[in-house]
Amino acid sequence: MKAVARSYVYWPSIDRDIAEYVKTCHACAVASKSSPREKPVSWPATKKPWERIHIDYAGPVDGDYFLVMVDAHAKWPQVVRTCSTTTKATIAMMRGIFARFGYPETLVSDNGPQFVSFEFEDYCCRNGIEHVKTAPFHPQSNGQAERFVDTLKRKMQKIHEGGATREESLDIFLASYRMTPNPVVRNGQTPAEAMLGRKVRTALELLKPPSAEKEAPPVGDKRFGSGDAVYTKMYARNSWRWVPARIVRELGTVMFEVETEDRKVHRRHLNQLRERGAATSINAPSNTVEPNRLPLDLLIDPAPQETRPISPAGQQIITSDTVASPRPVPFVTSRRRQPIQEPRRSSRPRRPPRRLDEYRLN
């Protein structure tokens, strides 16, 4: 256009005037190409973890979605699997995450319907969170979350193809990502170090030799060794009692394995043990009688069967000599401290059972 105009006319500002005329043409502006891309402008640098987080949804993957949160400072990711992407479900998942790490100062999201609703804006306002929404159809503005969504999908697919389930794939990926040094993080730290301020122990720590410097365990006032005779507490029916036992081995500073008289091994704390004299045998029968419980042989001592005379009809003859006098009953202390009365013996005749008549010798 400029060349054609100069071939016929000329004035001092002919080129500039033609360019200005073309810019004001509406038909030309509608059909023009996109403007050149501007140089990307990064988000302001953060000074501490969980100061600004980027949020987005990934999926669907096998019918499920993943709520993704990435910390801009430590690159620490939080991923929650869900089947619903509504505002109510999103707030519920965010509330669980914020209960562990606290509320961020700034939350960056796209213009998804769950993020632009009044309920979501009210939740951010009530908790002092500045909600920044990116330009519609410009995912580069929320590139922190968008890049992680792409990484999450590809890595989970690789782990799943290796034989792991979807739940296992997510856990394996997050554990690996959080413990891998990130060159973007300050001093090349891992997201776990930058977020938590410490190294997180992994299975790779087993490759290192064990530390030789270990703090000596504290020694208590009461100490027992293997083979020591002790009394241990035995629990039954909401109560306990002392039972003779012997130390089998030490499980720690205050934990022991003890063997009772019934050859059973129990685990007991130091506070559940007390010393026992070495002269007391673990298998020695106890001479004590529990209150209100007397065996029958202490109350009745019948005469031997062969000393009792038998009548020709096969019936035993009960005489004053054959009736044995009861043993003296030991005085047992009860709560009311009353002696137990001697039982009354029956005086009726006794005979063998009728089922033994066939075996009686004449």
Side-chain angles (χ1 to χ4, degrees):
M1 184 182 296
K2 293 177 182 179
V4 172
R6 282 196 301 267
S7 64
Y8 289 96
V9 294
Y10 173 78
W11 61 87
S13 58
I14 185 173
D15 291 344
R16 184 176 70 250
D17 293 342
I18 293 175
E20 292 294 334
Y21 176 77
V22 171
K23 288 181 180 180
T24 59
C25 177
H26 177 72
C28 296
V30 171
S32 62
K33 299 185 297 183
S34 299
S35 57
R37 290 180 177 271
E38 297 291 337
K39 184 179 180 181
V41 178
S42 302
W43 285 88
T46 55
K47 299 180 180 180
K48 57 183 178 180
W50 215 247
E51 180 179 347
R52 185 182 73 245
I53 62 174
H54 297 253
I55 186 173
D56 195 10
Y57 270 104
V61 178
D62 294 338
D64 292 330
Y65 293 86
F66 296 89
L67 177 65
V68 175
M69 281 188 181
V70 182
D71 176 47
H73 182 84
K75 311 305 177 186
W76 173 273
Q78 284 291 133
V79 182
V80 181
R81 185 176 181 178
T82 180
C83 59
S84 176
T85 60
T86 61
T87 301
K88 186 176 181 180
T90 303
I91 293 177
M93 291 181 285
M94 292 173 54
R95 186 170 57 247
I97 297 175
F98 294 159
R100 294 188 290 270
F101 299 100
Y103 295 105
E105 297 180 7
T106 306
L107 177 67
V108 182
S109 71
D110 56 14
N111 292 269
Q114 60 271 67
F115 300 128
V116 298
S117 64
F118 173 78
E119 186 179 358
F120 190 87
E121 293 293 339
D122 181 66
Y123 175 79
C124 293
C125 181
R126 285 187 289 105
N127 294 284
I129 303 174
E130 181 186 2
H131 184 202
V132 178
K133 297 182 288 294
T134 61
F137 304 102
H138 193 259
Q140 294 86 350
S141 299
N142 195 19
Q144 184 72 72
E146 295 290 343
R147 285 194 301 269
F148 185 81
V149 166
D150 179 67
T151 303
L152 173 67
K153 290 181 178 180
R154 290 186 290 106
K155 299 302 182 181
M156 284 190 60
Q157 183 64 26
K158 292 179 181 179
I159 299 174
H160 180 64
E161 292 295 332
T165 62
R166 290 296 181 186
E167 292 80 3
E168 294 174 346
S169 301
L170 177 59
D171 295 336
I172 293 173
F173 165 70
L174 289 177
S176 176
Y177 187 91
R178 292 167 176 171
M179 283 59 165
T180 302
N182 195 321
V184 182
V185 183
R186 185 182 59 179
N187 300 329
Q189 294 179 322
T190 64
E193 290 181 274
M195 182 68 182
L196 306 177
R198 62 179 178 86
K199 289 186 177 181
V200 178
R201 187 176 183 273
T202 63
L204 297 177
E205 296 293 331
L206 300 177
L207 299 176
K208 299 180 180 180
S211 177
E213 299 180 358
K214 290 186 177 181
E215 184 179 357
V219 180
D221 297 335
K222 299 181 294 182
R223 289 287 296 174
F224 299 105
S226 179
D228 289 351
V230 295
Y231 281 102
T232 181
K233 287 184 177 181
M234 291 298 294
Y235 298 86
R237 298 181 180 179
N238 297 327
S239 181
W240 61 269
R241 59 191 179 93
W242 291 109
V243 173
R246 192 174 301 278
I247 301 293
V248 178
R249 65 189 180 102
E250 299 184 40
L251 301 178
T253 307
V254 294
M255 295 294 295
F256 301 89
E257 277 190 356
V258 298
E259 182 183 10
T260 54
E261 57 185 0
D262 55 358
R263 303 302 182 187
K264 292 184 179 180
V265 178
H266 307 270
R267 184 181 293 108
R268 290 294 182 264
H269 190 272
L270 182 63
N271 295 334
Q272 298 171 317
L273 303 174
R274 67 182 179 90
E275 297 180 358
R276 178 168 64 91
T280 306
S281 174
I282 187 174
N283 297 319
S286 176
N287 295 326
T288 59
V289 180
E290 297 183 7
N292 301 327
R293 293 184 60 185
L294 291 177
L296 188 60
D297 57 352
L298 291 179
L299 302 177
I300 304 174
D301 185 16
Q305 183 73 19
E306 60 275 6
T307 61
R308 299 182 181 180
I310 301 177
S311 65
Q315 298 182 355
Q316 295 178 354
I317 301 176
I318 306 301
T319 62
S320 59
D321 296 334
T322 59
V323 179
S325 61
R327 287 184 181 178
V329 180
F331 180 79
V332 181
T333 304
S334 62
R335 293 184 178 179
R336 297 183 179 180
R337 298 185 179 275
Q338 296 179 356
I340 298 178
Q341 298 180 356
E342 297 182 359
R344 184 178 61 85
R345 293 293 305 271
S346 175
S347 60
R348 67 181 180 83
R350 300 182 182 180
R351 62 179 301 276
R354 294 183 178 180
R355 66 177 181 274
L356 301 179
D357 292 345
E358 300 178 1
Y359 304 98
R360 186 181 303 113
L361 298 179
N362 297 328

